[in-house]
Structure formats: C-alpha cells, structure tokens
C-alpha cells in the first residue's frame, strides 16, 4: 500500500501520520503538505527517519505536481486532510479557502481518477471533513449522516463543496471514496488560533481571554488521537461511498469549557483557584456564529465499533500538560505571522 496523507504536518494530520507509521510498517506512507502557517515539521519530527515514511512539500492545487507525485509513488490510497481550517480566517480571507479546499480537493480527485482509471481494486480516496457542513442546531437535535447540508461560513461552505465533489466523483466515475464528518478536535499540536490552545497560551501569559458574544455557543469536543483512530478504522473498514459522522458525545457551552480550562490550568501553574477568571473578556461576536454543533455517532459505533476513549477532563488535562511542557513549540509557532494575525483579529 502506497498511502498518501495530505495535510500531515498540520494538527490532525500529524496525529494521523504518526499513528499510521507506527501501526503499519508494511505501508509506504507519503506525507504531502505545503507547510502553510498551520503546517509544521516539528509536529512530525519523531517519525522523520522511519523507513516506511517520506515527506513531500507540495501544493494540492498544483495539477502537474500532483500527477507526478501520484505516478512517482504509485499511490493506491489517499487520506485527504489538507485544508484551510480556521473559521475566523475564512471570514477575513475567504478566497484561499475556495482555492485550497475546493480546487485542491478537485485536483486530487481528478488525479486519482486519471491514475486509477484502469483498475479501482484496492484503491480508496478518503476525504476528511467537518460537522460544520450541516449548519447550526438549536437547543435540541443532532447532526446525522443524512442531515441536509446548510453551511454558513466561508470555511464550512468550502468544505461542503469539497464533500459534494468527492461524492460526485463516486457517483459519476465510480471513484472509490469514503467520507467522514467530525466534530471539534482538541489536543497537542493544535495551532493556537483555535479556542483551546489560544486560551491555554493566553492564561499562561496572563493575556485577555476573548470570549465571542455571550459565550453561549456549544461545541462537541473530541480528543485528536480518538479522531486519528477513527480515521484508521474508516479507511480500513468503512464501506465505499459511505459517510461516517465522528463525535465525542461531549457538548460544552463555550463559557463552561473556558471556566474548566481556567480551573485546570491555574491548578497546574500553582496559581490560586479562580485567579485567571478576571482574564475573561467578552468581545464582539463572530459574524454568522453557529450556535450549536452536536454529532450523532451511532453509525460508526454500530457498524465499525469505534467509540471515543477519553473522558473530556482527562483529555483536557493531558492537553494542558502538553502545552505547558512544550513552551518552545508554542513560542516558535506564535512568533512572526501569528503576531500579525493576532493583532489584526483581536486588536
Ligand atoms: P490544520 O490547519 O492544523 O492543518 C492543515 C494542514 O494542511 C497544514 O499542515 C497545512 O500546511 C496544509 N495545507 C494547507 N493548504 C495546503 C495546500 N494547498 N496544499 C497542501 N497542504 C496544505 O487543520 P486541522 O485542524 O488539522 O484539520 C485537518 C482536516 O480536518 C481539515 O480538512 C479540516 O477541515 C478537518 N477537520 C478539522 C477539525 C478540527 O476541529 N480541527 C474537525 C473536523 C474536521
Ligand atoms: P474554534 O476553536 O475556532 O472552532 P470552530 O469555530 O470551528 O467551532 O472555536 C470554538 C468556539 O469558541 C466557537 O464557538 C468560537 C469560540 N471562540 C471564542 O469565543 N473566542 C476565540 O478567540 C475563538 C478562537 C473561538
């Protein structure tokens, strides 16, 4: 198996690649990543010399380069994670989300179709997507695999477009595909623009914690290593043409999560209980802020026997420990471009 993983220097991709490299010594795992601001070779430093692993810096939008890569490595399988992934950035700069998430995915699909056209046996294109394509929920209900798409941010609209293209290539050309839509991930190596690592970093540095709106939005959180395990399971056991929702059965209102995060981080830093509460700062709400996401993950449990393994407090505690022990990583990713982003977005 010559397995191409795209976006493997990013947050989720780096966990997926490390998981696969350790578990499948007989595979050749090729990690393709453009190393944008979100991609970092330090995330995958521990596997760089493994025999079953190689890294290629390239852009999924580059048709010529993708054709060459597929041919040179005789790619049989793809796990596609490369994307622009942050909602706030999609609001201020939507076009790169369209080129990377839509054109980039279409380019990979086209190359897989060309490369595999003679024989689809033992081939698979796995597209990793988000629950945000389903839109927003009120206080009740869940997202199911057949919930109608209703994306509401440029990020989720670009992911929805890519999902549609993957299904279109399956229905039109018979391309063997599988998809998953997952809830919010958290854990080590997440870029500190997303809620949990941003807030840990700010608590450490006693900086304001910018809570959007009233902090009442709800997200369903899953530990990233559980997502990596789900991706492995779906790639190997998922039914072609199917979609699997992945979630943590773990809904938190933002403000409640933030208070728990403050409590645990203060404890670990040896600060008095509640001393970082004063950092909470309510700021202008995100434009078009989706109120609630919640996944029904019954299908993957019943059909593929996958379930989350960690309780949230346990996962959050491991995550905080990792950020406190890896200040060098945090310092290196929050220099340069990050400062400009932070200044522009938060003032
Ligand atoms: P991330 O932003 O941390 O990583 C994305 C990676 O893609 C980076 O390494 C970046 O360098 C690479 N990349 C970006 N543009 C590229 C291009 N044109 N060519 C090649 N590589 C490029 O994202 P993440 O949080 O790890 O998310 C990975 C995937 O999972 C995305 O498709 C995202 O939509 C999906 N997802 C994320 C979450 C979440 O909570 N983070 C939840 C569900 C689904
Ligand atoms: P985020 O981690 O950006 O994930 P997503 O928007 O994909 O769900 O945000 C999680 C929640 O936290 C979301 O409701 C927005 C909110 N949030 C804040 O309140 N302040 C912040 O500074 C950030 C980044 C997010």
């Amino acid at each position: 198996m010559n397995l191409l993983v795209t976006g493997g220097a990013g947050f989720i991709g780096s966990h997926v690649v490390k998981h696969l490299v350790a578990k499948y010594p007989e595979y050749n795992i090729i990690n393709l990543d453009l190393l944008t601001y979100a991609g970092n070779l330090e995330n995958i430093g521990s596997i760089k010399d493994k025999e079953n692993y190689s890294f290629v810096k390239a852009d999924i939008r580059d048709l010529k380069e993708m054709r060459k890569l597929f041919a040179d490595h005789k790619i049989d399988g793809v796990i596609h994670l490369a994307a622009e992934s942050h909602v706030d950035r999609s609001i201020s700069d939507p076009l790169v989300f369209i080129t990377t998430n839509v054109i980039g995915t279409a380019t990979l699909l086209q190359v897989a179709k060309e490369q595999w056209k003679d024989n689809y046996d033992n081939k698979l294109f796995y597209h990793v997507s988000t629950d945000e394509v389903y839109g927003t929920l009120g206080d009740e209900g869940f997202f199911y695999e057949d919930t109608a798409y209703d994306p509401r941010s440029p990020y989720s609209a670009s992911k929805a477009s890519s999902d549609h293209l993957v299904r279109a290539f399956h229905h039109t050309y018979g391309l063997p595909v599988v998809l998953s839509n997952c809830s919010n991930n958290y854990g080590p190596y997440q870029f500190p623009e997303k809620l949990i690592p941003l807030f840990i970093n700010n608590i450490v540095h006693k900086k304001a914690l910018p809570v959007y709106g009233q902090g009442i939005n709800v997200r369903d959180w899953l530990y990233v290593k559980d997502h990596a395990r789900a991706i492995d399971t779906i790639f190997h056991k998922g039914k072609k043409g199917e979609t699997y929702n992945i979630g943590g059965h773990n809904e938190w209102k933002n403000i409640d999560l933030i208070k728990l995060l403050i409590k645990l981080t203060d404890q670990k830093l040896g600060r008095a209980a509640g001393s970082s509460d004063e950092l909470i700062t309510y700021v202008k709400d995100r434009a078009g802020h989706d109120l609630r996401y919640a996944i029904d993950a019954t299908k993957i449990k019943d059909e593929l026997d996958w379930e989350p393994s960690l309780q949230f407090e346990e996962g959050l505690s491991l995550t905080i420990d990792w950020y406190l022990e890896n200040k060098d990583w945090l310092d290196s990713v929050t220099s340069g471009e990050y400062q400009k982003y932070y200044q522009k977005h938060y003032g």
Side-chain angles (χ1 to χ4, degrees):
M1 162 77 76
N2 296 317
L3 174 56
L4 177 69
V5 181
T6 72
F11 166 48
I12 302 171
S14 63
H15 287 278
V16 169
V17 167
K18 284 183 278 194
H19 172 95
L20 296 171
V21 164
K23 190 163 164 192
Y24 302 102
E26 71 280 21
Y27 291 5
N28 291 315
I29 294 163
I30 300 105
N31 179 2
L32 155 71
D33 198 295
L34 184 59
L35 300 179
T36 67
Y37 79 92
N40 187 345
L41 288 177
E42 280 178 50
N43 299 0
I44 36 173
S46 62
I47 51 164
K48 69 178 192 315
D49 298 324
K50 298 283 181 204
E51 267 182 29
N52 61 339
Y53 172 76
S54 56
F55 178 79
V56 179
K57 180 172 188 274
D59 189 333
I60 57 168
R61 294 166 291 191
D62 186 338
L63 179 63
K64 218 170 122 198
E65 181 85 25
M66 290 306 106
R67 281 190 176 132
K68 185 171 176 339
L69 185 128
F70 264 68
D72 287 353
H73 292 272
K74 298 189 173 57
I75 299 297
D76 308 298
V78 178
I79 302 181
H80 175 38
L81 296 113
E84 289 291 335
S85 69
H86 189 40
V87 174
D88 292 327
R89 286 184 190 253
S90 84
I91 293 168
S92 50
D93 188 12
L95 292 188
V96 68
F97 285 70
I98 309 306
T99 63
T100 291
N101 299 357
V102 185
I103 311 278
T105 302
T107 304
L108 291 172
L109 288 164
Q110 173 66 15
V111 172
K113 175 171 86 70
E114 289 171 6
Q115 198 73 28
W116 297 343
K117 67 176 184 299
D118 296 334
N119 184 1
Y120 281 153
D121 292 346
N122 300 316
K123 304 287 193 285
L124 185 62
F125 190 104
Y126 177 2
H127 179 61
V128 176
S129 192
T130 166
D131 62 354
E132 302 191 26
V133 298
Y134 298 122
T136 185
L137 293 163
D139 292 339
E140 310 256 301
F142 296 94
F143 295 137
Y144 301 92
E145 283 81 358
D146 59 0
T147 298
Y149 274 31
D150 184 21
R152 294 152 43 96
S153 74
Y155 165 65
S156 55
S158 68
K159 291 297 291 187
S161 307
S162 65
D163 294 11
H164 288 320
L165 283 166
V166 174
R167 294 194 182 101
F169 270 66
H170 176 67
H171 292 296
T172 307
Y173 307 112
L175 194 80
V177 305
V178 69
L179 297 89
S180 59
N181 294 81
C182 187
S183 62
N184 286 59
N185 283 216
Y186 70 99
Y189 297 105
Q190 187 168 31
F191 194 76
E193 62 186 354
K194 306 275 168 61
L195 179 74
I196 290 179
L198 175 80
F199 277 37
I200 296 172
N201 190 35
N202 284 13
I203 295 168
V204 169
H205 292 99
K206 299 189 177 170
K207 279 174 70 177
L209 304 175
V211 181
Y212 296 161
Q214 295 171 289
I216 55 170
N217 305 70
V218 174
R219 298 291 183 264
D220 172 1
W221 294 92
L222 178 70
Y223 193 63
V224 63
K225 291 188 185 180
D226 277 332
H227 190 189
R229 229 177 8 89
I231 289 174
D232 176 10
T233 304
I234 292 168
F235 184 76
H236 289 97
K237 300 202 312 200
K239 248 174 86 185
K240 299 218 167 101
E242 293 282 317
T243 295
Y244 298 88
N245 278 356
I246 310 170
H249 311 292
N250 181 41
E251 287 180 52
W252 284 80
K253 200 186 274 187
N254 287 345
I255 193 63
D256 297 336
L257 186 160
I258 289 161
K259 286 188 173 155
L260 176 62
L261 194 61
I262 289 174
K263 188 180 110 186
L264 293 174
T265 310
D266 274 347
Q267 269 170 12
K268 289 174 192 287
L269 290 170
R271 293 183 189 162
S275 58
S276 298
D277 286 351
E278 64 184 32
L279 299 175
I280 292 178
T281 310
Y282 290 92
V283 299
K284 187 167 174 278
D285 208 354
R286 172 185 280 172
H289 197 171
D290 288 340
L291 180 66
R292 175 172 166 256
Y293 303 144
I295 280 279
D296 181 292
T298 308
K299 178 175 172 181
I300 186 171
K301 177 173 188 294
D302 288 354
E303 294 185 14
L304 305 183
D305 199 24
W306 174 91
E307 272 190 292
S309 69
L310 279 185
Q311 293 300 313
F312 189 51
E313 272 216 31
E314 198 184 346
L316 205 52
S317 177
L318 285 172
T319 304
I320 299 165
D321 287 343
W322 187 85
Y323 282 95
L324 297 183
E325 284 159 16
N326 287 275
K327 288 214 177 83
D328 289 350
W329 182 90
L330 208 44
D331 289 346
S332 80
V333 302
T334 53
S335 61
E337 200 272 349
Y338 182 82
Q339 296 301 336
K340 280 189 221 137
Y341 164 77
Y342 201 91
Q343 199 53 38
K344 189 171 158 210
H345 187 64
Y346 294 104

